[in-house]
Amino acid sequence: MSDTPSALVLGGGSTGCGIARDLAMRGVDVTLVEKGNLTHGTTGRMHGLLHSGGRYAVSDRASAEECIEENRVLRRIASHCVEMTGGLFVQRPEDDDEYFEEKLRGCRECGIPAEVLTAEEAREIEPYLADDIERAIRVPDGAVDPFRLCVANAADAIQRGARVETHAEVTDVLIEDGEVVGVEVEHASGGGSEAGFGSFVHGEPGETEELYADYVVNATGAWAGEIGEMADVEVAVRPSKGVMTIMNVRQVDTVINRCRPKGDADIVVPHETTCILGTTDEEVDDPEAYPEEGWEVDLMIDTLSELVPMLSEARTIRSFWGVRPLYEPPEVGSEDPTDITRDFFLLDHDERDGLPGMASIVGGKLTTYRMMAEDIADHVCEKLGVDVECRTAAEPLPGSEDFSVLREWMDEFGLRSPIGRRSAERLGSRTDEVLGEWDGPNPTVCECEAVTRAEIHDAISQSGTDLNAVRIRTRASMGNCQGAFCCHRMANELTPEHDEATARDALDELYQERWKGERHALWGEQLSQAMLKHHLHATTMNRDGDPAATGDEVDFGAFDSGAERSEAVPDGGPRTRTDGRRRAGNHDRTEGRRQREGPKRTHNRGAADGNS
């Protein structure tokens, strides 16, 4: 080991990346390990709300005060990741007047700016609100891009000398003489520096590596209990799952909250080019394995249509589930996960369990990630004898330095203005570096999200051949078509530096990741969109392994008998039949599931069941 104090951070979500940045800024030698891409866990599966604290102003005042404090900080240091949409807590006729007044008092007592609006004033802001709403409270909610935020923190840590190790799963905690000294990780293929570029260092797939440090931080969120078990200490995280459903456009431009006590399906968050509906709150045993039910998606649409009626007829492009890393002291013992505080806790395993060398940071939410990181970084520095103050609340993240007004990029970089504007919103103060220094034609690779070739190559320089890592840096393939028209274009940008097999493997991985979230939205126009996407890829690139093109013998008798033409669709993708119908299983509708009739939204989820 060198003379520089060293720390090992486990977990590449918002908190882990924030910790790595904070410690690197204080001169600590930092290594971060993450078993998937950055944002692989909870951070990459949230609704993108930048909390004002209003949601907790009645039930959890401490969390509400933390949220409004960090809301203001993130607006300063992460301006290129944040859109200040504003938020409305909307009251319907059946919602309680007393709770509305309690919400208003709570906001004001927590220092959250709150203004009462009449129904007419609320509809002036959001014309598609229901006609029968009664009034609303306006608060400074916003939207935050968790992918961009995490990458910016990791990039800043790397620039300050940190090592960020993705696709490296912790398989053991190393203990010597009763003290944690490091971890063992197993490397998986992630397209990192073995591909020739990037700071995300990887070993060979299947290779194990022992990483040592003076102090280990367990910032793995819902998986913190699993790391605790490896060290033979208890970290009683209570994972709680929630569903989010993504709509095809922004039906609203303001965060819309239902003003009532805790309940499912009570928020709509405008996010980039879409809206995200959320959410549920159900405790689960395993953060990796839990049911993803179609009725949960129906619940989002049915209930939130009471606030924004046009949602009932809008196109749903995908759904996804996330797991909250809830934690409360064991002596509290709340039975309902909605009663568990959203505050965070630092567990010093030396003080609590007699195991020096490691601490866990649990609970919290993305809005307070920086505050959590500061708290644990202070603790680590105290243990390591480092006397340097935290500067993360003052120093902007890469992309947000000296960046306040978007310029018109059309003339400067030869781009159509809307595309230039979207690029500038994503890149922030890095716009000149990425677009201005690009040498050569710069066509749009992803039309839905207006991502250009220059941005794709900038992301490849950081991510290697991992196109899902490129996706989280650029949003390419995350728009309305879900990669139908850009997945193969993204893979094409890997050539000629990489061979055809490498590009095809990267394409397959990206395509299947997109398919996972689409399986739960297969009705109406979205079913047609999904089948169009499948057939485009199957017919133009033989993605379904058609034996007529591969030289295998074809059993033409199968066609005459009406049997299925092909079962060779990769990794559970949609399969076709000779009669053109989707394969469907027999699924009884459960209580609470939408009873749909006619052409509005006919569910066909036979291929949509299972975990993503």
Side-chain angles (χ1 to χ4, degrees), residues 563-586:
E564 295 183 4
R565 295 182 59 182
S566 175
E567 292 290 345
V569 183
D571 295 333
R575 307 184 190 284
T576 56
R577 300 172 58 99
T578 53
D579 57 9
R581 292 183 287 110
R582 283 275 298 151
R583 175 195 294 274
N586 294 320

Side-chain angles (χ1 to χ4, degrees), residues 111-416:
I112 302 165
E115 176 188 3
V116 177
L117 304 178
T118 65
E120 292 72 21
E121 289 170 332
R123 275 193 293 271
E124 284 181 9
I125 297 171
E126 287 300 338
Y128 294 114
L129 286 173
D131 291 338
D132 58 348
I133 66 165
E134 297 197 337
R135 52 182 173 166
I137 301 171
R138 180 158 59 183
V139 296
D141 283 336
V144 60
D145 188 316
F147 308 108
R148 201 177 301 160
L149 184 68
C150 256
V151 169
N153 275 277
D156 198 35
I158 290 168
Q159 290 171 8
R160 299 172 188 274
R163 174 188 179 188
V164 173
E165 181 78 24
T166 60
H167 302 280
E169 183 171 4
V170 176
T171 55
D172 196 13
V173 174
L174 305 177
I175 300 174
E176 295 180 2
D177 299 324
E179 179 177 0
V180 174
V181 296
V183 300
E184 178 186 82
V185 299
E186 181 175 336
H187 294 281
S189 176
S193 64
E194 82 277 8
F197 24 52
S199 302
F200 299 88
V201 181
H202 301 280
E204 293 296 322
E207 179 182 70
T208 60
E209 180 182 5
E210 292 183 345
L211 300 172
Y212 291 89
D214 296 320
Y215 206 83
V216 175
V217 177
N218 176 13
T220 55
W223 291 262
E226 296 178 9
I227 299 297
E229 287 181 8
M230 294 178 192
D232 200 25
V233 296
E234 183 180 12
V235 182
V237 176
R238 296 174 60 177
S240 172
K241 76 163 181 173
V243 64
M244 274 68 67
T245 296
I246 304 179
M247 311 310 289
N248 62 325
V249 295
R250 285 170 67 127
Q251 285 81 15
V252 295
D253 288 315
T254 308
V255 175
I256 305 298
N257 301 267
R258 181 78 172 263
C259 192
R260 65 180 182 186
K262 61 187 180 182
D264 292 333
D266 63 354
I267 189 169
V268 184
V269 182
H271 187 72
E272 298 284 342
T273 58
T274 66
C275 273
I276 300 178
L277 315 185
T279 179
T280 49
D281 201 342
E282 180 183 349
E283 194 163 350
V284 295
D285 295 327
D286 188 338
E288 294 277 6
Y290 48 83
E292 297 176 351
E293 305 286 356
W295 67 261
E296 296 175 280
V297 178
D298 291 338
L299 177 67
M300 295 301 106
I301 298 168
D302 290 342
T303 306
L304 285 164
S305 294
E306 297 173 3
L307 291 179
V308 185
M310 70 182 301
L311 291 174
S312 64
E313 300 302 324
R315 181 156 68 91
T316 303
I317 61 174
R318 69 186 291 114
S319 294
F320 61 95
W321 281 254
V323 180
R324 302 173 188 85
L326 301 183
Y327 181 89
E328 66 178 4
E331 64 272 12
V332 177
S334 298
E335 294 184 4
D336 187 339
T338 61
D339 291 331
I340 300 175
T341 178
R342 268 45 176 176
D343 203 355
F344 63 89
F345 298 84
L346 193 163
L347 309 180
D348 181 347
H349 294 296
D350 184 11
E351 179 181 300
R352 198 191 71 157
D353 305 298
L355 181 66
M358 186 171 84
S360 296
I361 186 82
V362 290
K365 62 196 72 64
L366 182 134
T367 300
T368 59
Y369 90 91
R370 192 215 59 82
M371 181 182 285
M372 295 170 66
E374 178 179 351
D375 202 25
I376 191 73
D378 285 345
H379 172 81
V380 173
C381 286
E382 181 182 349
K383 295 287 186 179
L384 298 180
V386 175
D387 186 17
V388 180
E389 291 187 357
C390 175
R391 306 194 308 278
T392 58
E395 295 196 18
L397 288 161
S400 288
E401 315 99 319
D402 302 321
F403 182 71
S404 57
V405 179
L406 292 176
R407 300 186 318 206
E408 292 296 334
W409 298 101
M410 181 170 61
D411 294 336
E412 191 149 352
F413 299 122
L415 296 170
R416 289 185 294 118

Side-chain angles (χ1 to χ4, degrees), residues 526-594:
Q526 184 56 25
L527 176 58
S528 300
Q529 174 69 39
M531 291 309 296
L532 171 64
K533 174 181 175 180
H534 168 63
H535 286 300
L536 280 172
H537 284 254
T539 58
T540 59
M541 289 179 285
N542 195 36
R543 300 289 313 290
D544 61 350
D546 184 350
T550 59
D552 295 341
E553 184 178 351
V554 180
D555 179 10
F556 290 100
F559 294 93
D560 297 331
S561 65
E564 295 183 4
R565 295 182 59 182
S566 175
E567 292 290 345
V569 183
D571 295 333
R575 307 184 190 284
T576 56
R577 300 172 58 99
T578 53
D579 57 9
R581 292 183 287 110
R582 283 275 298 151
R583 175 195 294 274
N586 294 320
H587 297 281
D588 293 332
R589 297 182 186 274
T590 57
E591 182 179 355
R593 193 168 186 173
R594 175 184 286 267

Side-chain angles (χ1 to χ4, degrees), residues 485-566:
F485 299 103
C486 66
C487 279
H488 57 292
R489 296 176 185 170
M490 293 167 67
N492 185 64
E493 297 303 320
L494 295 175
T495 62
E497 287 80 6
H498 302 278
D499 59 24
E500 178 184 346
T502 299
R504 284 188 177 274
D505 286 346
L507 172 60
D508 284 341
E509 185 177 288
L510 175 64
Y511 187 78
Q512 290 306 319
E513 183 65 29
R514 294 294 79 202
W515 167 243
K516 280 170 28 177
E518 294 175 82
R519 297 176 301 170
H520 305 279
L522 296 181
W523 61 73
E525 292 182 2
Q526 184 56 25
L527 176 58
S528 300
Q529 174 69 39
M531 291 309 296
L532 171 64
K533 174 181 175 180
H534 168 63
H535 286 300
L536 280 172
H537 284 254
T539 58
T540 59
M541 289 179 285
N542 195 36
R543 300 289 313 290
D544 61 350
D546 184 350
T550 59
D552 295 341
E553 184 178 351
V554 180
D555 179 10
F556 290 100
F559 294 93
D560 297 331
S561 65
E564 295 183 4
R565 295 182 59 182
S566 175

Side-chain angles (χ1 to χ4, degrees), residues 54-99:
R55 283 177 72 81
Y56 307 119
V58 174
S59 60
D60 194 347
R61 294 281 180 91
S63 292
E65 291 171 356
E66 290 172 354
C67 283
I68 189 59
E69 179 181 343
E70 288 302 293
N71 175 299
R72 294 178 175 123
V73 171
L74 291 184
R75 288 189 236 168
R76 292 197 308 270
I77 70 164
S79 58
H80 78 298
C81 305
V82 169
E83 180 187 359
M84 285 312 297
T85 62
L88 296 175
F89 280 89
V90 178
Q91 182 185 23
R92 285 189 47 79
E94 61 269 31
D95 297 336
D96 184 46
D97 285 337
E98 184 177 342
Y99 183 80

Side-chain angles (χ1 to χ4, degrees), residues 1-74:
M1 276 189 173
S2 68
D3 293 334
T4 304
S6 60
L8 182 58
V9 179
L10 314 183
S14 56
T15 304
C17 291
I19 295 167
R21 181 197 186 212
D22 195 330
L23 289 173
M25 290 175 73
R26 303 193 204 201
V28 177
D29 182 7
V30 182
T31 297
L32 180 148
V33 295
E34 162 57 51
K35 70 177 180 179
N37 273 317
L38 299 179
T39 74
H40 171 80
T42 301
T43 298
R45 293 173 171 269
M46 51 90 70
H47 46 40
L49 175 65
L50 179 66
H51 284 273
S52 65
R55 283 177 72 81
Y56 307 119
V58 174
S59 60
D60 194 347
R61 294 281 180 91
S63 292
E65 291 171 356
E66 290 172 354
C67 283
I68 189 59
E69 179 181 343
E70 288 302 293
N71 175 299
R72 294 178 175 123
V73 171
L74 291 184

